[in-house]
Structures are given as C-alpha cells and as structure tokens.
C-alpha cells in the first residue's frame, strides 16, 4: 500500500538516539510511505512515490502525520480485578508503600490473579490490548508478577504467549516473579529470593517453549520489595541461565538498581525517579536503556518525575513507557505519557516521540525490526489526525490516532478522522 500526501512523515531513521541527539525525527514534508507485505519498502516525497507506484492501493493521509507505531516497553498488562478503592485510600493520605506493607497494593492484585483461570486472565487482558492498539501502540512489553508462585506465574506466561500469538498487538514477554514478597514468605524475603533462584527461574527456563526467544527477567528493586543484594542474586542467576534482563530501579528510594543494571548489561532500567547523580552517569555510559514512566508519578499524584535532562546530558538512551498496571497507572495510552513527559520531564515533542518509538524499541531489544520507518522494517505505522508532530504532547486526553497499520494491514480505523 502507498500512504501518500502526509503533511509530515516521521521516519525516525538512524537507530536509537543517545543523549542530546534525542529528537531526530527524519521528517519528510508532504511525504509518502510504501509498504509491501509486512515490510516497509521506502519513504519519500509524495509526488515521486505516487508517480512511481500508481497501482498500489492508496491511502490518503492529507493533513495528517504518519509515523512508526508507538512501542510501549514497560507494562504490567495482565491482571484480574482493580484497585480503585486503594486510589481513594491514597487520596486520603496513605502511601503506595504503606498499602503494600499492609498486604494490599500488588499483593491484593496477586490474590485476585492467583484465583483466576487462564480463561478469565485472557478475558480481562484482551480489552486492554485492544485499547492500546487503538491508541497507537503496536508492540508492547508485558510482565507477569501477580502470581509470585511457580504455577500462577507460568499461567500468566502461558496467557501472554497465547495473546501474543492471537495478535495483532505483539508482546515482548517478561518474567517478574520478583515483583513483591508473597504472603507465604512475608517475614523472610531472603527465603523467597532463594526460592526464586533455586526453583522458579529454572522452572520458567524448563517450561518455556523451544524456539521462542527467552523472556526478560525483571526485579522490583525497592524498599519493601527486593534489596540490592537480592536483586543482584536474582538477576545474576537469570543472566547465567541466558535470560535478558530488566530492572525496576529507584521508583521511590535510591537503592542502586540503576548501577546494577549497567553492571549486568541489562537491556533496560526503568522508573529512575530517585536515582543518584552518580548512578545516572554510570547508567548513561552503558548501553542499558533508561525507561521513564511519567504516568506513574502522575497516577500516584506525586511531584517527582524521572530527571530526563540529567540523563540526556550524561549521554543516556532515554525511552518512554506507560507502566500500565492496576495500582499506579491504569493507562494504555502512550500519547498521554508523551504529554506528561513534555510537561514534567521537559522533553520537546520531538524528543518524546523518539523516546516512544525507536528508543522504546531498543528497550525491548527490537530496534532492528520496529520503531522507525526504514526499508526492511516491520510495517507498523500510525496515521495521526494532526497537521504536525508538535500536536503530540501539546494535546492530551483524546486519541489523536486515526489509523493503525500493523505488519502491513490496517487493523484500526478510529472515528476521529
Ligand atoms: O511499575 N512498582 C512496581 N510495579 C508497578 C506497580 C504495580 C502495581 O502496583 O500493581 C510499577 O509501578
Ligand atoms: Fe512497573
């Protein structure tokens, strides 16, 4: 198909964008994009491509921006139930970590998710995937972490594999057995850490289908969850077993998870709100992608956001994600993360767009396949009902996506365009 007459095509060509280089949109005014089969063939001036490919099915993108699909590299997509009552408790003054310490928070979703059948896990998750797709997310990362015992965690993995195979939204799957200390190990976090290492991680490795890329292994390195030594223990073993790594670091307290991520060559370190200057520098010198999740402080009504400018000044690779989860950020929409990143992390719209596409693809190790509109890459493309890219960030709270193309097929036509 030929998508033509776009007021702007954003190719994001050239690979992940480090430090102050963030924000190279590869903009083609009055542009066209040729997709054949599942792949992008070329992007260029509309007049030229229309003359060269008159027989391709045509999509008129006049007055619209065409860009790569958003990549959402941090979500807790799969769970059962909700935590609306905790939202009210937090508004009345209880903190997130207090609620967790009292057996609520993540643990309340764990109770609901453990009790759920595979069927209801799939049934509650599918509508969220559709919402993500309608808002322009094409691939998303998706974590387990509400099972915290082998059987329930494997059921979550099984559900995520099934959902990925169903499509059209693709999932990059992460095992987050180290999301919280389950009630059975309440008084002995070290015993759960050992159990994860001795039993759960090897069980995941043994169960995982042959021929499928191994999942990421992630740890919530935080006060009240896993301390730095426990995080190192789990992630080092995971690395030895061949799993690629991720970490939740410094969401509330600075425990040193960001430097650990760099030390272990993790693919990404995520949250990074309370990160020290020293750890920002260590992270920025590594190839580990720094994933900021502005929906989370917003969702918690907190004032501290990831210090994006310091990360960029230090030369880091910055990405954006939603952190979609039932506790802190039930938001499927990357456009909203961009709007917050512009306001509270002081990114320009161009920087936020690059962080939500090519750099986000790097945060799930897929920058060679997605995240930009370059020849040979997957045909994951958005047509936005806006005249120029600055409207992303500027506008918020409504869906600016008109059309979503996934692997060369139109999968969403929204009613706004
Ligand atoms: O990334 N902080 C840990 N995990 C999630 C929250 C999950 C939940 O509260 O259910 C996060 O914010
Ligand atoms: Fe998270």
């Amino acid at each position: 198909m030929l998508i033509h007459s776009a007021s702007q095509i954003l190719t994001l060509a050239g690979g992940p964008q480090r430090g102050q280089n963030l924000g190279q949109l590869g903009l083609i005014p009055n542009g066209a994009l040729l997709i054949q089969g599942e792949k992008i063939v070329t992007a260029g001036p509309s007049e030229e491509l229309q003359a060269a490919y008159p027989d391709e099915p045509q999509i008129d993108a006049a007055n619209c921006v065409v860009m790569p699909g958003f990549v959402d590299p941090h979500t807790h997509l799969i769970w059962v139930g909700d935590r609306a009552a905790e939202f009210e408790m937090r508004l009345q003054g209880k903190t997130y970590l207090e609620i967790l310490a009292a057996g609520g928070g993540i643990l309340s979703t764990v109770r609901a998710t453990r009790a759920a059948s595979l069927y209801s896990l799939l049934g509650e998750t599918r509508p969220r995937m559709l919402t993500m797709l309608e808002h322009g997310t094409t691939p998303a990362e998706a974590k387990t972490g509400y099972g915290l015992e082998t059987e329930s965690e494997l059921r979550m993995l099984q559900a995520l594999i099934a959902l990925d195979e169903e499509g059209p939204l693709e999932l990059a799957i992460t095992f987050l057995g180290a999301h919280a200390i389950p009630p059975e190990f309440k008084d002995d976090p070290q015993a759960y850490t050992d159990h994860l290492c001795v039993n759960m991680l090897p069980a995941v490795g043994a169960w995982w289908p042959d021929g499928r890329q191994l999942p990421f292994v992630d740890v919530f390195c935080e006060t009240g969850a896993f301390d730095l030594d426990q995080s190192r223990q789990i992630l080092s073993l995971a690395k030895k077993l061949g799993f690629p790594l991720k970490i939740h670091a410094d969401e509330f307290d600075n425990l040193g998870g960001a430097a650990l991520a760099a030390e272990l060559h993790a693919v990404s370190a995520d949250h990074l709100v309370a990160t020290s200057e020293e750890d920002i520098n260590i992270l920025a010198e590594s190839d580990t992608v720094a994933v900021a999740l502005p929906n989370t402080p917003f969702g918690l009504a907190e004032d501290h956001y990831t210090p994006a400018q310091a990360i960029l000044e230090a030369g880091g690779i910055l990405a954006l994600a939603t952190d979609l989860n039932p506790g802190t950020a039930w938001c499927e929409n990357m456009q909203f993360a961009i709007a917050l990143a512009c306001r509270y992390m002081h990114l320009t719209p161009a920087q936020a767009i690059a962080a939500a596409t090519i750099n986000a693809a790097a945060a799930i190790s897929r920058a060679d396949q997605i995240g930009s509109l370059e020849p040979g890459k997957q045909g994951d493309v958005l047509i936005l009902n806006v005249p120029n890219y600055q409207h992303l960030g500027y506008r918020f709270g409504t869906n600016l996506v008109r059309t979503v193309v996934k692997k060369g097929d139109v999968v969403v036509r929204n009613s706004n365009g």
Side-chain angles (χ1 to χ4, degrees), residues 81-124:
D82 69 69
R83 306 229 295 273
E86 285 180 9
F87 174 58
E88 276 209 38
M89 285 164 70
R90 287 206 312 269
L91 294 177
Q92 285 156 1
K94 284 254 180 309
T95 69
Y96 179 79
L97 290 181
E98 279 167 5
I99 294 170
L100 177 62
I106 293 172
L107 296 177
S108 104
T109 303
V110 168
R111 282 189 289 279
T113 305
R114 280 182 175 179
S117 65
L118 180 64
Y119 186 76
S120 52
L121 276 177
L122 295 171
E124 294 218 8

Side-chain angles (χ1 to χ4, degrees), residues 306-339:
T306 304
Q309 296 309 322
I311 292 171
L312 296 181
E313 272 161 35
I317 308 168
L318 183 76
L320 285 173
T322 61
D323 197 18
L324 169 63
N325 76 78
T328 61
W330 190 331
C331 175
E332 289 91 344
N333 184 359
M334 285 291 286
Q335 299 164 60
F336 190 65
I338 288 173

Side-chain angles (χ1 to χ4, degrees), residues 10-230:
L10 316 179
T11 65
L12 281 299
Q17 301 179 8
R18 195 180 263 284
Q20 306 289 13
N21 201 33
L22 185 68
Q24 309 302 315
L25 295 177
L27 191 154
I28 305 172
N30 192 17
L33 178 74
L34 180 66
I35 306 170
Q36 285 177 333
E38 294 188 357
K39 304 258 154 113
I40 289 163
V41 179
T42 187
S46 202
E47 274 176 25
E48 267 175 38
L49 291 191
Q50 281 178 282
Y53 299 97
D55 299 329
E56 287 288 330
Q58 311 269 318
I59 296 184
D60 187 342
N63 303 314
C64 290
V65 169
V66 171
M67 64 172 287
F70 297 119
V71 178
D72 188 344
H74 183 136
T75 86
H76 304 256
L77 169 71
I78 183 165
W79 76 83
V80 161
D82 69 69
R83 306 229 295 273
E86 285 180 9
F87 174 58
E88 276 209 38
M89 285 164 70
R90 287 206 312 269
L91 294 177
Q92 285 156 1
K94 284 254 180 309
T95 69
Y96 179 79
L97 290 181
E98 279 167 5
I99 294 170
L100 177 62
I106 293 172
L107 296 177
S108 104
T109 303
V110 168
R111 282 189 289 279
T113 305
R114 280 182 175 179
S117 65
L118 180 64
Y119 186 76
S120 52
L121 276 177
L122 295 171
E124 294 218 8
T125 304
R126 261 190 212 103
R128 290 192 280 270
M129 291 174 72
L130 183 60
T131 305
M132 293 170 94
L133 195 68
E134 285 167 349
H135 288 81
T137 295
T138 45
E141 185 260 12
K143 303 174 197 296
T144 68
Y146 295 118
L148 310 186
E149 61 188 9
T150 306
E151 193 197 325
S152 320
E153 286 288 318
L154 292 183
R155 189 159 60 243
M156 293 185 84
L157 287 173
Q158 189 185 354
L160 289 171
I161 290 173
L163 292 164
D164 176 48
E165 286 172 356
E166 246 174 63
L169 182 69
E170 282 171 285
L171 300 177
I173 299 172
T174 297
F175 172 68
L176 180 57
H179 195 193
I181 310 299
E184 309 79 74
F185 291 90
K186 187 171 177 291
D187 301 319
D188 199 351
Q190 187 55 45
Y192 182 59
T193 305
D194 295 340
H195 173 60
L196 263 165
C197 291
V198 175
N199 300 310
M200 292 175 76
L201 273 174
V204 170
W207 175 88
W208 193 254
D210 285 342
R212 184 175 254 278
Q213 209 185 329
L214 278 175
F216 294 99
V217 168
D218 192 348
V219 174
F220 187 20
C221 179
E222 187 59 62
T223 308
F226 297 84
D227 68 23
L228 188 65
D229 287 342
Q230 291 160 345

Side-chain angles (χ1 to χ4, degrees), residues 234-258:
I234 296 161
L235 291 176
S236 310
L237 176 73
K239 191 178 165 78
K240 220 186 274 167
L241 296 176
F243 294 99
L245 308 181
K246 288 180 166 281
I247 189 167
H248 281 66
D250 311 326
E251 178 175 358
F252 300 103
D253 294 326
N254 178 28
L255 301 193

